[in-house]
Amino acid sequence: MALFEAAKEQGCLVALELLCRELSISAFKQSKLHGKLFLNASPETLFEPNFKSGETLKLLQNSGLSPSQVVIELTEHSPLENYELVRDALKHYKEMGFEIAMDDLGSGYSGLRMWYELRPDFVKIDRHFICDIDSDKVKQQFVRSIKNIAEELNCKVIAEGIETADEFQFIEKIGTPFCQGYYFSHPEKSPIVKLPSHFFNDRKLLNQMENRAVSTATVGDLLLPFQAIDIASNVQVCTDLFNQFPDVDCIPIITGNEPVGVVRRSSLTNLLFSKYGHDLSNKFELSRLIDQDVLVLEDDLLIEQASVMISEKINNKKVLEFIIVKQGQYKGIGLIIDLLKEITNLQINNARYANPLTLLPGNVPISKKLDYILSTSAPFTVCYIDLDNFKPYNDYYGYEKGDQIILGLADILRTKSNGSDDFIGHIGGDDFILISSSPDWETQCEQILNKFSDWVRYRYRPEDLEKGEFQGKIERVTSNFTLY
């Protein structure tokens, strides 16, 4: 910051920023990185007399990069007054093929007016609102609101400054697909291009279920409305409620309608049956009985995601329930047994709609997967896989050999899939589908084709392989089929 401030005072800000862009573009090109390059730009440089339009485009042309690979990121360190000039400049950038990002929303001078006036393609939420967001209800509401506004404006949100697993899990839970921060990596000269799997340990079950039916059921579907009591209440209120509901094992405790934990029947029983416990219970603070180690889930959380979180939370504890909230406000409780029933039903549906030969998802889970991924607005690629001349092969070599080809192709698709980034479905016969969220889908398809070409050669008779063709009869017409 001191360097850029000195450059501004000496009238060299434009030259310094242009030098930074040149070095960044060069490093991006040399590293052969995928994705987009975000280039910082100060709006105030547009007002400098030595500013020249088109310099960034020249740098890209010299490096062989396209403007579609670059995002101009506005970093504002002083009040922006001439919105009209900046808006015209950004329009010029967009016409050349660049996208625009607004940095540090909610910090300093970067506010809603700037967002409204400039209409960027990306908006970055300042790290102040991400820090400890997993435990700060106000920050959670702020980020949710920004996400909703961005969806209306067709703008992508990036959460900056993620430094802990809890922060990342919350950002992921509310469906913000882009994030950055030291939790993933510090700035590196040679940046990593793929995160290690341990970053996504909490998604273990989800990854296992990627190639299965996708349930739209949420935690809210398991809601059991139940009276909670305020933390300021005395022990007698809690005792009366347990007596009123003898089958209930815990009572939720709230403060200002936000859950703080539960009081378990066993804890209260131990108090009342202790020496002088009954006599002292009315003077006993309820807070001393609260078990704060209870899972609190938002009502719009998917059942599969809830299952992952619960399985890791309970471990060896005999926990039977969890608290359900809506935007942090208490709604009721949910039972583990009801969650298990939902997961069991989902597994039954997976088996019901799986292809009987390959056991891959059939048409129903394929349709559900497509509906789900479309609802997330995340980018994806659909690859339709079909075997050429499979029917003549099937007729000539027999159905058993034909089934072996189908099974072999299914195994190749599995081995070449990118785990949680891919969904493989078996439409029927020799038709498959690959739904990929990976940016390397084209390379992946080439690997599948090459692997299949090498493997399938050994599924012909030697004499047919030597001739390079086989003959089959179709409706009394003899045809030749070339081997590929």
Side-chain angles (χ1 to χ4, degrees):
M1 294 305 299
L3 174 64
F4 279 85
E5 191 62 35
K8 180 181 178 181
E9 292 175 1
Q10 298 297 322
C12 301
L13 185 60
V14 173
L16 178 58
E17 286 207 3
L18 194 61
L19 176 59
C20 290
R21 291 190 191 185
E22 181 177 1
L23 293 173
S24 298
I25 291 170
S26 175
F28 184 83
K29 176 70 174 180
Q30 291 176 8
S31 301
K32 298 180 180 179
L33 297 172
H34 297 286
K36 294 181 181 292
L37 171 64
F38 281 63
L39 292 175
N40 290 111
S42 304
E44 55 201 289
T45 59
L46 301 173
F47 311 134
E48 295 289 332
N50 55 344
F51 174 79
K52 294 181 181 179
S53 177
E55 294 295 320
T56 305
L57 190 60
K58 290 179 183 178
L59 293 174
L60 289 177
Q61 291 172 343
N62 294 336
S63 298
L65 295 177
S66 167
S68 63
Q69 295 174 267
V70 174
V71 179
I72 303 297
E73 180 175 333
L74 297 179
T75 305
E76 190 186 17
H77 300 299
S78 58
L80 184 59
E81 298 177 353
N82 196 337
Y83 284 100
E84 185 174 349
L85 177 60
V86 177
R87 190 167 56 242
D88 290 343
L90 296 186
K91 181 181 177 182
H92 182 60
Y93 274 123
K94 286 194 172 186
E95 288 174 349
M96 290 189 291
F98 295 93
E99 289 184 293
I100 305 299
M102 192 177 104
D103 194 20
D104 297 334
L105 177 68
S107 152
Y109 306 104
S110 297
L112 293 178
R113 183 185 173 185
M114 184 176 177
W115 190 3
Y116 171 80
E117 293 283 351
L118 304 183
R119 303 295 173 92
D121 302 285
F122 297 86
V123 61
K124 289 188 170 185
I125 303 176
D126 183 71
R127 70 173 304 274
H128 168 76
F129 296 98
I130 305 301
C131 181
D132 297 327
I133 190 173
D134 53 291
S135 58
D136 191 320
K137 303 297 183 183
V138 177
K139 290 181 179 179
Q140 291 175 9
Q141 189 58 49
F142 177 89
V143 172
R144 281 196 178 97
S145 299
I146 291 300
K147 177 177 174 290
N148 293 336
I149 295 172
E151 289 175 352
E152 292 295 325
L153 298 177
N154 196 27
C155 175
K156 303 178 184 69
V157 174
I158 302 173
E160 287 186 299
I162 293 178
E163 297 188 1
T164 68
D166 290 336
E167 291 168 357
F168 170 58
Q169 287 166 16
F170 179 83
I171 288 299
E172 187 183 45
K173 182 182 73 173
I174 64 172
T176 304
F178 302 107
C179 46
Q180 67 182 70
Y182 290 170
Y183 172 65
F184 308 106
S185 175
H186 282 64
E188 300 285 350
K189 184 177 181 180
S190 299
I192 59 174
V193 296
K194 189 172 183 179
L195 292 175
S197 59
H198 68 80
F199 284 99
F200 308 99
N201 286 340
D202 291 335
R203 298 170 55 187
K204 197 181 305 176
L205 179 62
L206 282 177
N207 292 349
Q208 294 170 357
M209 302 185 77
E210 281 293 318
N211 276 334
R212 305 181 186 178
V214 179
S215 172
T216 56
T218 63
V219 167
D221 297 324
L222 307 178
L223 178 67
L224 297 174
F226 188 79
Q227 178 183 350
I229 60 178
D230 193 88
I231 193 172
S233 304
N234 59 37
V235 173
Q236 187 60 46
V237 174
C238 193
T239 304
D240 293 342
L241 202 55
F242 274 125
N243 290 333
Q244 185 180 351
F245 299 98
D247 294 331
V248 170
D249 292 313
C250 74
I251 294 175
I253 308 299
I254 59 174
T255 176
N257 205 36
E258 292 186 3
V260 293
V262 297
V263 171
R264 303 196 180 278
R265 183 183 289 271
S266 57
S267 300
L268 184 59
T269 302
N270 291 337
L271 169 66
L272 295 178
F273 281 92
S274 64
K275 191 174 182 179
Y276 309 118
H278 194 276
D279 295 331
L280 295 173
S281 61
N282 285 332
K283 300 178 182 178
F284 199 83
E285 292 183 3
L286 191 62
S287 59
R288 295 170 62 182
L289 290 175
I290 294 177
D291 179 5
Q292 296 181 342
D293 191 21
V294 62
L295 198 61
V296 179
L297 303 177
E298 285 285 343
D299 65 340
D300 58 355
L301 190 68
L302 290 176
I303 290 293
E304 293 95 325
Q305 292 173 306
S307 177
V308 174
M309 297 174 70
I310 288 173
S311 64
E312 294 190 349
K313 181 76 174 178
I314 61 177
N315 293 326
N316 296 324
K317 294 175 63 178
K318 295 180 179 179
V319 178
L320 302 177
E321 66 289 307
F322 51 90
I323 294 176
I324 300 176
V325 297
K326 183 171 185 177
Q327 295 184 356
Q329 300 298 298
Y330 176 78
K331 296 290 290 183
I333 61 172
L335 300 179
I336 300 292
I337 187 66
D338 292 339
L339 178 73
L340 292 176
K341 287 178 182 177
E342 286 291 332
I343 293 297
T344 301
N345 290 335
L346 183 60
Q347 291 173 338
I348 291 172
N349 285 332
N350 288 333
R352 180 183 300 163
Y353 296 118
N355 184 281
L357 178 60
T358 60
L359 300 181
L360 287 173
N363 291 322
V364 171
I366 290 172
S367 297
K368 287 185 176 181
K369 176 65 179 183
L370 287 169
D371 289 341
Y372 174 74
I373 199 169
L374 284 169
S375 70
T376 66
S377 300
F380 67 97
T381 303
V382 174
C383 306
Y384 194 96
I385 298 151
D386 173 55
L387 292 174
D388 291 336
N389 298 323
F390 178 71
K391 188 179 186 308
Y393 180 95
N394 210 29
D395 293 341
Y396 181 71
Y397 283 94
Y399 291 105
E400 183 179 351
K401 291 288 187 181
D403 285 350
Q404 290 177 10
I405 295 293
I406 297 295
L407 287 169
L409 176 55
D411 288 339
I412 290 171
L413 292 175
R414 288 189 182 99
T415 58
K416 295 300 179 182
S417 68
N418 289 326
S420 61
D421 288 337
D422 293 340
F423 175 94
I424 306 164
H426 190 171
I427 297 171
D430 62 317
D431 296 320
F432 292 80
I433 192 169
L434 169 64
I435 304 172
S436 177
S437 302
S438 170
D440 299 325
W441 64 268
E442 194 168 0
T443 301
Q444 185 180 7
C445 288
E446 291 174 355
Q447 291 175 350
I448 291 171
L449 290 172
N450 294 335
K451 178 69 175 177
F452 182 80
S453 296
D454 293 338
W455 175 84
V456 80
R457 290 181 58 82
Y458 301 100
R459 271 66 197 172
Y460 296 101
R461 296 189 182 108
E463 57 270 26
D464 294 335
L465 196 61
E466 186 177 351
K467 289 188 299 182
E469 64 180 20
F470 64 88
Q471 292 185 348
K473 292 184 179 181
I474 303 177
E475 296 180 355
R476 299 181 182 179
V477 178
T478 300
S479 301
N480 291 339
F481 298 96
T482 304
L483 275 58
Y484 293 97

